[in-house]
Amino acid sequence: MGPLCHGYNKPVFSNGIRHDRFGRHCPSIGKRKLPRSLLGLAALKNVEPEAAVPLILKVIDDANDNVRGMAIFALGVKPTAACLPVLVRLLETESDYSIRAAAAGALGYLGDVRALEPLLRTFYEDTEWLVRFSAAVSLGNLGDVRAYEALVGALDSPEIVLQQAAIAALGEIGDLRCVDKLLAFAQAEDWLVRQRLAEALGNLPTPKSWQALQFLTKDAHPQVATAAAIAQKSLEGLPLP
């Protein structure tokens, strides 16, 4: 499987390559040799976006998916005017679903609200669950309430991972209208769904959220109970409508 995103095997910059080694590895970019290309990308960690992005773009269509995945991720965290159109192109035209998923994830890191419409189209139209999952998470990262209806609709998805992504994204957006719909998952069979619910409710200050978190602190799964306790602390002192 190709590169994933949003914490699921997402590519990261190596901490072992310092900025002063940039000159040593930079020439390897674009030569299609996997180790050197990856080292070249990693060496850009501390390089300013305007200098780094032209080099990243040299391998954005590399034959190796690992190189492409890391380059796509790098565009998401090195924002320049060139990044958005490249990522949207990959999202909308790439035949490899793992690359589309990586592009969707990078658009979330980029944080440009102009990505909202392409992400929404992808969420509705792409046939691969991984791409739709990545788009849903990125819609949450954008925090734009215009994604509300799409995400609420995803709560009814038969694919549990999409339910998880939608719950988390609705929490990020913070629109209190979703609370009643989210509470239906308080006794979901999948403990990861319940954990995502607890985390989301920590961003949704209502009396019902607090009551649900009280219930979830007694969950049989320790990670759910811990997430609920942390979420409750985040609500302490906040006015509850």
PDB file of all heavy atoms in Angstrom, residues 70-108:
ATOM      1  N   MET A  70       6.047  11.344   0.536  1.00  0.00           N
ATOM      2  CA  MET A  70       6.765  12.270   1.400  1.00  0.00           C
ATOM      3  C   MET A  70       6.771  13.670   0.796  1.00  0.00           C
ATOM      4  O   MET A  70       6.641  14.669   1.506  1.00  0.00           O
ATOM      5  CB  MET A  70       8.191  11.788   1.632  1.00  0.00           C
ATOM      6  CG  MET A  70       8.936  12.587   2.690  1.00  0.00           C
ATOM      7  SD  MET A  70      10.522  11.818   3.097  1.00  0.00           S
ATOM      8  CE  MET A  70      11.065  12.945   4.394  1.00  0.00           C
ATOM      9  N   ALA A  71       6.917  13.757  -0.520  1.00  0.00           N
ATOM     10  CA  ALA A  71       6.902  15.059  -1.185  1.00  0.00           C
ATOM     11  C   ALA A  71       5.543  15.730  -1.021  1.00  0.00           C
ATOM     12  O   ALA A  71       5.451  16.940  -0.763  1.00  0.00           O
ATOM     13  CB  ALA A  71       7.251  14.903  -2.660  1.00  0.00           C
ATOM     14  N   ILE A  72       4.477  14.952  -1.156  1.00  0.00           N
ATOM     15  CA  ILE A  72       3.131  15.505  -1.000  1.00  0.00           C
ATOM     16  C   ILE A  72       2.922  16.012   0.414  1.00  0.00           C
ATOM     17  O   ILE A  72       2.407  17.120   0.635  1.00  0.00           O
ATOM     18  CB  ILE A  72       2.082  14.435  -1.378  1.00  0.00           C
ATOM     19  CG1 ILE A  72       2.118  14.185  -2.889  1.00  0.00           C
ATOM     20  CG2 ILE A  72       0.684  14.862  -0.951  1.00  0.00           C
ATOM     21  CD1 ILE A  72       1.381  12.940  -3.317  1.00  0.00           C
ATOM     22  N   PHE A  73       3.322  15.209   1.408  1.00  0.00           N
ATOM     23  CA  PHE A  73       3.226  15.652   2.794  1.00  0.00           C
ATOM     24  C   PHE A  73       4.009  16.944   3.001  1.00  0.00           C
ATOM     25  O   PHE A  73       3.548  17.876   3.671  1.00  0.00           O
ATOM     26  CB  PHE A  73       3.742  14.558   3.728  1.00  0.00           C
ATOM     27  CG  PHE A  73       3.866  15.001   5.158  1.00  0.00           C
ATOM     28  CD1 PHE A  73       2.738  15.164   5.946  1.00  0.00           C
ATOM     29  CD2 PHE A  73       5.108  15.264   5.710  1.00  0.00           C
ATOM     30  CE1 PHE A  73       2.845  15.578   7.262  1.00  0.00           C
ATOM     31  CE2 PHE A  73       5.222  15.682   7.022  1.00  0.00           C
ATOM     32  CZ  PHE A  73       4.093  15.841   7.811  1.00  0.00           C
ATOM     33  N   ALA A  74       5.214  17.014   2.416  1.00  0.00           N
ATOM     34  CA  ALA A  74       6.053  18.196   2.573  1.00  0.00           C
ATOM     35  C   ALA A  74       5.372  19.452   2.027  1.00  0.00           C
ATOM     36  O   ALA A  74       5.487  20.531   2.604  1.00  0.00           O
ATOM     37  CB  ALA A  74       7.401  17.985   1.883  1.00  0.00           C
ATOM     38  N   LEU A  75       4.640  19.314   0.917  1.00  0.00           N
ATOM     39  CA  LEU A  75       3.913  20.476   0.390  1.00  0.00           C
ATOM     40  C   LEU A  75       2.861  20.954   1.374  1.00  0.00           C
ATOM     41  O   LEU A  75       2.569  22.153   1.452  1.00  0.00           O
ATOM     42  CB  LEU A  75       3.253  20.128  -0.946  1.00  0.00           C
ATOM     43  CG  LEU A  75       4.173  19.930  -2.144  1.00  0.00           C
ATOM     44  CD1 LEU A  75       3.331  19.653  -3.394  1.00  0.00           C
ATOM     45  CD2 LEU A  75       5.070  21.139  -2.372  1.00  0.00           C
ATOM     46  N   GLY A  76       2.285  20.030   2.139  1.00  0.00           N
ATOM     47  CA  GLY A  76       1.281  20.424   3.103  1.00  0.00           C
ATOM     48  C   GLY A  76       1.821  21.223   4.267  1.00  0.00           C
ATOM     49  O   GLY A  76       1.101  22.036   4.851  1.00  0.00           O
ATOM     50  N   VAL A  77       3.090  20.995   4.596  1.00  0.00           N
ATOM     51  CA  VAL A  77       3.673  21.697   5.752  1.00  0.00           C
ATOM     52  C   VAL A  77       4.654  22.786   5.337  1.00  0.00           C
ATOM     53  O   VAL A  77       5.283  23.407   6.199  1.00  0.00           O
ATOM     54  CB  VAL A  77       4.353  20.691   6.705  1.00  0.00           C
ATOM     55  CG1 VAL A  77       3.334  19.729   7.277  1.00  0.00           C
ATOM     56  CG2 VAL A  77       5.488  19.939   6.019  1.00  0.00           C
ATOM     57  N   LYS A  78       4.790  23.014   4.037  1.00  0.00           N
ATOM     58  CA  LYS A  78       5.646  24.092   3.524  1.00  0.00           C
ATOM     59  C   LYS A  78       4.794  24.993   2.628  1.00  0.00           C
ATOM     60  O   LYS A  78       4.947  25.032   1.409  1.00  0.00           O
ATOM     61  CB  LYS A  78       6.810  23.507   2.709  1.00  0.00           C
ATOM     62  CG  LYS A  78       7.779  22.654   3.488  1.00  0.00           C
ATOM     63  CD  LYS A  78       8.744  23.496   4.293  1.00  0.00           C
ATOM     64  CE  LYS A  78       9.815  22.626   4.935  1.00  0.00           C
ATOM     65  NZ  LYS A  78      10.734  23.425   5.775  1.00  0.00           N
ATOM     66  N   PRO A  79       3.860  25.734   3.203  1.00  0.00           N
ATOM     67  CA  PRO A  79       2.881  26.460   2.378  1.00  0.00           C
ATOM     68  C   PRO A  79       3.478  27.600   1.560  1.00  0.00           C
ATOM     69  O   PRO A  79       4.152  28.476   2.084  1.00  0.00           O
ATOM     70  CB  PRO A  79       1.891  27.007   3.423  1.00  0.00           C
ATOM     71  CG  PRO A  79       2.676  27.090   4.700  1.00  0.00           C
ATOM     72  CD  PRO A  79       3.638  25.946   4.650  1.00  0.00           C
ATOM     73  N   THR A  80       3.235  27.530   0.255  1.00  0.00           N
ATOM     74  CA  THR A  80       3.495  28.644  -0.656  1.00  0.00           C
ATOM     75  C   THR A  80       2.326  28.695  -1.633  1.00  0.00           C
ATOM     76  O   THR A  80       1.473  27.801  -1.651  1.00  0.00           O
ATOM     77  CB  THR A  80       4.805  28.466  -1.454  1.00  0.00           C
ATOM     78  OG1 THR A  80       4.617  27.451  -2.441  1.00  0.00           O
ATOM     79  CG2 THR A  80       5.983  28.117  -0.555  1.00  0.00           C
ATOM     80  N   ALA A  81       2.326  29.705  -2.495  1.00  0.00           N
ATOM     81  CA  ALA A  81       1.243  29.836  -3.468  1.00  0.00           C
ATOM     82  C   ALA A  81       1.206  28.663  -4.441  1.00  0.00           C
ATOM     83  O   ALA A  81       0.164  28.368  -5.031  1.00  0.00           O
ATOM     84  CB  ALA A  81       1.398  31.149  -4.235  1.00  0.00           C
ATOM     85  N   ALA A  82       2.329  27.975  -4.608  1.00  0.00           N
ATOM     86  CA  ALA A  82       2.389  26.874  -5.565  1.00  0.00           C
ATOM     87  C   ALA A  82       1.769  25.585  -5.030  1.00  0.00           C
ATOM     88  O   ALA A  82       1.430  24.687  -5.814  1.00  0.00           O
ATOM     89  CB  ALA A  82       3.844  26.599  -5.949  1.00  0.00           C
ATOM     90  N   CYS A  83       1.610  25.461  -3.727  1.00  0.00           N
ATOM     91  CA  CYS A  83       1.223  24.177  -3.139  1.00  0.00           C
ATOM     92  C   CYS A  83      -0.224  23.789  -3.427  1.00  0.00           C
ATOM     93  O   CYS A  83      -0.513  22.649  -3.796  1.00  0.00           O
ATOM     94  CB  CYS A  83       1.457  24.203  -1.631  1.00  0.00           C
ATOM     95  SG  CYS A  83       3.197  24.371  -1.165  1.00  0.00           S
ATOM     96  N   LEU A  84      -1.146  24.719  -3.222  1.00  0.00           N
ATOM     97  CA  LEU A  84      -2.558  24.382  -3.354  1.00  0.00           C
ATOM     98  C   LEU A  84      -2.906  23.821  -4.726  1.00  0.00           C
ATOM     99  O   LEU A  84      -3.516  22.743  -4.812  1.00  0.00           O
ATOM    100  CB  LEU A  84      -3.424  25.599  -3.029  1.00  0.00           C
ATOM    101  CG  LEU A  84      -4.932  25.370  -3.143  1.00  0.00           C
ATOM    102  CD1 LEU A  84      -5.413  24.423  -2.043  1.00  0.00           C
ATOM    103  CD2 LEU A  84      -5.690  26.694  -3.069  1.00  0.00           C
ATOM    104  N   PRO A  85      -2.557  24.479  -5.832  1.00  0.00           N
ATOM    105  CA  PRO A  85      -2.954  23.920  -7.135  1.00  0.00           C
ATOM    106  C   PRO A  85      -2.337  22.558  -7.423  1.00  0.00           C
ATOM    107  O   PRO A  85      -2.976  21.716  -8.061  1.00  0.00           O
ATOM    108  CB  PRO A  85      -2.487  24.978  -8.145  1.00  0.00           C
ATOM    109  CG  PRO A  85      -1.519  25.839  -7.407  1.00  0.00           C
ATOM    110  CD  PRO A  85      -1.912  25.804  -5.984  1.00  0.00           C
ATOM    111  N   VAL A  86      -1.117  22.321  -6.973  1.00  0.00           N
ATOM    112  CA  VAL A  86      -0.487  21.025  -7.201  1.00  0.00           C
ATOM    113  C   VAL A  86      -1.225  19.939  -6.433  1.00  0.00           C
ATOM    114  O   VAL A  86      -1.534  18.864  -6.968  1.00  0.00           O
ATOM    115  CB  VAL A  86       1.000  21.056  -6.790  1.00  0.00           C
ATOM    116  CG1 VAL A  86       1.601  19.651  -6.835  1.00  0.00           C
ATOM    117  CG2 VAL A  86       1.784  21.991  -7.694  1.00  0.00           C
ATOM    118  N   LEU A  87      -1.541  20.205  -5.180  1.00  0.00           N
ATOM    119  CA  LEU A  87      -2.236  19.205  -4.365  1.00  0.00           C
ATOM    120  C   LEU A  87      -3.646  18.943  -4.877  1.00  0.00           C
ATOM    121  O   LEU A  87      -4.108  17.799  -4.887  1.00  0.00           O
ATOM    122  CB  LEU A  87      -2.263  19.658  -2.905  1.00  0.00           C
ATOM    123  CG  LEU A  87      -0.902  19.679  -2.203  1.00  0.00           C
ATOM    124  CD1 LEU A  87      -1.019  20.305  -0.825  1.00  0.00           C
ATOM    125  CD2 LEU A  87      -0.320  18.272  -2.105  1.00  0.00           C
ATOM    126  N   VAL A  88      -4.332  19.977  -5.322  1.00  0.00           N
ATOM    127  CA  VAL A  88      -5.672  19.794  -5.880  1.00  0.00           C
ATOM    128  C   VAL A  88      -5.599  18.979  -7.167  1.00  0.00           C
ATOM    129  O   VAL A  88      -6.441  18.096  -7.406  1.00  0.00           O
ATOM    130  CB  VAL A  88      -6.360  21.152  -6.110  1.00  0.00           C
ATOM    131  CG1 VAL A  88      -7.660  20.978  -6.899  1.00  0.00           C
ATOM    132  CG2 VAL A  88      -6.651  21.832  -4.771  1.00  0.00           C
ATOM    133  N   ARG A  89      -4.591  19.252  -7.995  1.00  0.00           N
ATOM    134  CA  ARG A  89      -4.431  18.466  -9.230  1.00  0.00           C
ATOM    135  C   ARG A  89      -4.258  16.986  -8.903  1.00  0.00           C
ATOM    136  O   ARG A  89      -4.899  16.122  -9.523  1.00  0.00           O
ATOM    137  CB  ARG A  89      -3.213  18.967 -10.012  1.00  0.00           C
ATOM    138  CG  ARG A  89      -2.837  18.059 -11.192  1.00  0.00           C
ATOM    139  CD  ARG A  89      -1.626  18.553 -11.954  1.00  0.00           C
ATOM    140  NE  ARG A  89      -0.391  18.521 -11.201  1.00  0.00           N
ATOM    141  CZ  ARG A  89       0.372  17.442 -11.050  1.00  0.00           C
ATOM    142  NH1 ARG A  89       0.007  16.277 -11.569  1.00  0.00           N
ATOM    143  NH2 ARG A  89       1.507  17.509 -10.373  1.00  0.00           N
ATOM    144  N   LEU A  90      -3.410  16.687  -7.938  1.00  0.00           N
ATOM    145  CA  LEU A  90      -3.188  15.294  -7.570  1.00  0.00           C
ATOM    146  C   LEU A  90      -4.463  14.668  -7.001  1.00  0.00           C
ATOM    147  O   LEU A  90      -4.790  13.515  -7.302  1.00  0.00           O
ATOM    148  CB  LEU A  90      -2.060  15.206  -6.546  1.00  0.00           C
ATOM    149  CG  LEU A  90      -0.664  15.534  -7.066  1.00  0.00           C
ATOM    150  CD1 LEU A  90       0.314  15.660  -5.911  1.00  0.00           C
ATOM    151  CD2 LEU A  90      -0.187  14.467  -8.046  1.00  0.00           C
ATOM    152  N   LEU A  91      -5.173  15.423  -6.201  1.00  0.00           N
ATOM    153  CA  LEU A  91      -6.401  14.923  -5.599  1.00  0.00           C
ATOM    154  C   LEU A  91      -7.441  14.572  -6.663  1.00  0.00           C
ATOM    155  O   LEU A  91      -8.149  13.571  -6.551  1.00  0.00           O
ATOM    156  CB  LEU A  91      -6.966  15.974  -4.641  1.00  0.00           C
ATOM    157  CG  LEU A  91      -8.276  15.639  -3.934  1.00  0.00           C
ATOM    158  CD1 LEU A  91      -8.087  14.464  -2.996  1.00  0.00           C
ATOM    159  CD2 LEU A  91      -8.794  16.857  -3.181  1.00  0.00           C
ATOM    160  N   GLU A  92      -7.524  15.381  -7.689  1.00  0.00           N
ATOM    161  CA  GLU A  92      -8.604  15.238  -8.664  1.00  0.00           C
ATOM    162  C   GLU A  92      -8.252  14.402  -9.891  1.00  0.00           C
ATOM    163  O   GLU A  92      -9.162  13.937 -10.595  1.00  0.00           O
ATOM    164  CB  GLU A  92      -9.071  16.629  -9.096  1.00  0.00           C
ATOM    165  CG  GLU A  92      -9.687  17.428  -7.951  1.00  0.00           C
ATOM    166  CD  GLU A  92     -10.249  18.767  -8.372  1.00  0.00           C
ATOM    167  OE1 GLU A  92      -9.778  19.317  -9.401  1.00  0.00           O
ATOM    168  OE2 GLU A  92     -11.149  19.264  -7.685  1.00  0.00           O
ATOM    169  N   THR A  93      -6.962  14.203 -10.162  1.00  0.00           N
ATOM    170  CA  THR A  93      -6.599  13.531 -11.411  1.00  0.00           C
ATOM    171  C   THR A  93      -5.743  12.295 -11.238  1.00  0.00           C
ATOM    172  O   THR A  93      -5.605  11.513 -12.180  1.00  0.00           O
ATOM    173  CB  THR A  93      -5.852  14.495 -12.360  1.00  0.00           C
ATOM    174  OG1 THR A  93      -4.592  14.860 -11.777  1.00  0.00           O
ATOM    175  CG2 THR A  93      -6.672  15.756 -12.607  1.00  0.00           C
ATOM    176  N   GLU A  94      -5.163  12.086 -10.074  1.00  0.00           N
ATOM    177  CA  GLU A  94      -4.258  10.960  -9.866  1.00  0.00           C
ATOM    178  C   GLU A  94      -5.022   9.624  -9.883  1.00  0.00           C
ATOM    179  O   GLU A  94      -6.062   9.487  -9.241  1.00  0.00           O
ATOM    180  CB  GLU A  94      -3.522  11.122  -8.532  1.00  0.00           C
ATOM    181  CG  GLU A  94      -2.649   9.963  -8.142  1.00  0.00           C
ATOM    182  CD  GLU A  94      -1.531   9.695  -9.132  1.00  0.00           C
ATOM    183  OE1 GLU A  94      -0.855  10.660  -9.557  1.00  0.00           O
ATOM    184  OE2 GLU A  94      -1.356   8.513  -9.495  1.00  0.00           O
ATOM    185  N   SER A  95      -4.500   8.644 -10.613  1.00  0.00           N
ATOM    186  CA  SER A  95      -5.165   7.344 -10.687  1.00  0.00           C
ATOM    187  C   SER A  95      -4.889   6.475  -9.460  1.00  0.00           C
ATOM    188  O   SER A  95      -5.712   5.625  -9.105  1.00  0.00           O
ATOM    189  CB  SER A  95      -4.721   6.591 -11.947  1.00  0.00           C
ATOM    190  OG  SER A  95      -3.314   6.389 -11.934  1.00  0.00           O
ATOM    191  N   ASP A  96      -3.766   6.672  -8.804  1.00  0.00           N
ATOM    192  CA  ASP A  96      -3.398   5.882  -7.623  1.00  0.00           C
ATOM    193  C   ASP A  96      -4.139   6.432  -6.410  1.00  0.00           C
ATOM    194  O   ASP A  96      -3.914   7.564  -5.982  1.00  0.00           O
ATOM    195  CB  ASP A  96      -1.881   5.965  -7.413  1.00  0.00           C
ATOM    196  CG  ASP A  96      -1.388   5.069  -6.290  1.00  0.00           C
ATOM    197  OD1 ASP A  96      -2.165   4.800  -5.354  1.00  0.00           O
ATOM    198  OD2 ASP A  96      -0.219   4.667  -6.339  1.00  0.00           O
ATOM    199  N   TYR A  97      -5.003   5.596  -5.834  1.00  0.00           N
ATOM    200  CA  TYR A  97      -5.833   6.094  -4.734  1.00  0.00           C
ATOM    201  C   TYR A  97      -5.011   6.495  -3.516  1.00  0.00           C
ATOM    202  O   TYR A  97      -5.393   7.411  -2.777  1.00  0.00           O
ATOM    203  CB  TYR A  97      -6.877   5.045  -4.335  1.00  0.00           C
ATOM    204  CG  TYR A  97      -6.343   3.869  -3.547  1.00  0.00           C
ATOM    205  CD1 TYR A  97      -6.304   3.916  -2.160  1.00  0.00           C
ATOM    206  CD2 TYR A  97      -5.891   2.727  -4.185  1.00  0.00           C
ATOM    207  CE1 TYR A  97      -5.817   2.843  -1.434  1.00  0.00           C
ATOM    208  CE2 TYR A  97      -5.406   1.667  -3.466  1.00  0.00           C
ATOM    209  CZ  TYR A  97      -5.364   1.719  -2.087  1.00  0.00           C
ATOM    210  OH  TYR A  97      -4.873   0.664  -1.367  1.00  0.00           O
ATOM    211  N   SER A  98      -3.864   5.834  -3.280  1.00  0.00           N
ATOM    212  CA  SER A  98      -3.053   6.186  -2.115  1.00  0.00           C
ATOM    213  C   SER A  98      -2.440   7.578  -2.274  1.00  0.00           C
ATOM    214  O   SER A  98      -2.260   8.302  -1.287  1.00  0.00           O
ATOM    215  CB  SER A  98      -1.961   5.139  -1.874  1.00  0.00           C
ATOM    216  OG  SER A  98      -0.990   5.155  -2.893  1.00  0.00           O
ATOM    217  N   ILE A  99      -2.137   7.959  -3.500  1.00  0.00           N
ATOM    218  CA  ILE A  99      -1.614   9.309  -3.749  1.00  0.00           C
ATOM    219  C   ILE A  99      -2.729  10.335  -3.590  1.00  0.00           C
ATOM    220  O   ILE A  99      -2.517  11.427  -3.034  1.00  0.00           O
ATOM    221  CB  ILE A  99      -0.978   9.387  -5.155  1.00  0.00           C
ATOM    222  CG1 ILE A  99       0.244   8.459  -5.238  1.00  0.00           C
ATOM    223  CG2 ILE A  99      -0.589  10.822  -5.482  1.00  0.00           C
ATOM    224  CD1 ILE A  99       1.358   8.791  -4.280  1.00  0.00           C
ATOM    225  N   ARG A 100      -3.936  10.003  -4.048  1.00  0.00           N
ATOM    226  CA  ARG A 100      -5.059  10.916  -3.819  1.00  0.00           C
ATOM    227  C   ARG A 100      -5.303  11.116  -2.322  1.00  0.00           C
ATOM    228  O   ARG A 100      -5.573  12.224  -1.861  1.00  0.00           O
ATOM    229  CB  ARG A 100      -6.335  10.393  -4.491  1.00  0.00           C
ATOM    230  CG  ARG A 100      -6.264  10.276  -5.998  1.00  0.00           C
ATOM    231  CD  ARG A 100      -7.639  10.185  -6.652  1.00  0.00           C
ATOM    232  NE  ARG A 100      -8.485   9.131  -6.135  1.00  0.00           N
ATOM    233  CZ  ARG A 100      -8.447   7.853  -6.532  1.00  0.00           C
ATOM    234  NH1 ARG A 100      -7.566   7.471  -7.444  1.00  0.00           N
ATOM    235  NH2 ARG A 100      -9.283   6.949  -6.031  1.00  0.00           N
ATOM    236  N   ALA A 101      -5.199  10.019  -1.570  1.00  0.00           N
ATOM    237  CA  ALA A 101      -5.385  10.115  -0.124  1.00  0.00           C
ATOM    238  C   ALA A 101      -4.306  10.988   0.505  1.00  0.00           C
ATOM    239  O   ALA A 101      -4.585  11.802   1.400  1.00  0.00           O
ATOM    240  CB  ALA A 101      -5.376   8.724   0.509  1.00  0.00           C
ATOM    241  N   ALA A 102      -3.076  10.833   0.056  1.00  0.00           N
ATOM    242  CA  ALA A 102      -1.991  11.654   0.583  1.00  0.00           C
ATOM    243  C   ALA A 102      -2.215  13.133   0.257  1.00  0.00           C
ATOM    244  O   ALA A 102      -1.972  14.011   1.083  1.00  0.00           O
ATOM    245  CB  ALA A 102      -0.651  11.186   0.014  1.00  0.00           C
ATOM    246  N   ALA A 103      -2.698  13.415  -0.954  1.00  0.00           N
ATOM    247  CA  ALA A 103      -2.975  14.800  -1.346  1.00  0.00           C
ATOM    248  C   ALA A 103      -4.095  15.394  -0.496  1.00  0.00           C
ATOM    249  O   ALA A 103      -4.025  16.546  -0.065  1.00  0.00           O
ATOM    250  CB  ALA A 103      -3.333  14.869  -2.824  1.00  0.00           C
ATOM    251  N   ALA A 104      -5.126  14.592  -0.248  1.00  0.00           N
ATOM    252  CA  ALA A 104      -6.214  15.067   0.612  1.00  0.00           C
ATOM    253  C   ALA A 104      -5.690  15.389   2.002  1.00  0.00           C
ATOM    254  O   ALA A 104      -6.047  16.410   2.599  1.00  0.00           O
ATOM    255  CB  ALA A 104      -7.320  14.006   0.697  1.00  0.00           C
ATOM    256  N   GLY A 105      -4.837  14.524   2.526  1.00  0.00           N
ATOM    257  CA  GLY A 105      -4.262  14.784   3.840  1.00  0.00           C
ATOM    258  C   GLY A 105      -3.405  16.033   3.863  1.00  0.00           C
ATOM    259  O   GLY A 105      -3.468  16.832   4.803  1.00  0.00           O
ATOM    260  N   ALA A 106      -2.596  16.221   2.825  1.00  0.00           N
ATOM    261  CA  ALA A 106      -1.728  17.395   2.771  1.00  0.00           C
ATOM    262  C   ALA A 106      -2.535  18.683   2.693  1.00  0.00           C
ATOM    263  O   ALA A 106      -2.137  19.713   3.254  1.00  0.00           O
ATOM    264  CB  ALA A 106      -0.792  17.288   1.568  1.00  0.00           C
ATOM    265  N   LEU A 107      -3.677  18.647   2.025  1.00  0.00           N
ATOM    266  CA  LEU A 107      -4.527  19.842   1.968  1.00  0.00           C
ATOM    267  C   LEU A 107      -5.033  20.221   3.356  1.00  0.00           C
ATOM    268  O   LEU A 107      -5.212  21.398   3.659  1.00  0.00           O
ATOM    269  CB  LEU A 107      -5.697  19.606   1.012  1.00  0.00           C
ATOM    270  CG  LEU A 107      -5.332  19.632  -0.472  1.00  0.00           C
ATOM    271  CD1 LEU A 107      -6.495  19.117  -1.319  1.00  0.00           C
ATOM    272  CD2 LEU A 107      -4.943  21.044  -0.915  1.00  0.00           C
ATOM    273  N   GLY A 108      -5.246  19.233   4.206  1.00  0.00           N
ATOM    274  CA  GLY A 108      -5.632  19.539   5.579  1.00  0.00           C
ATOM    275  C   GLY A 108      -4.515  20.206   6.342  1.00  0.00           C
ATOM    276  O   GLY A 108      -4.728  21.159   7.085  1.00  0.00           O
TER     277      GLY A 108
END
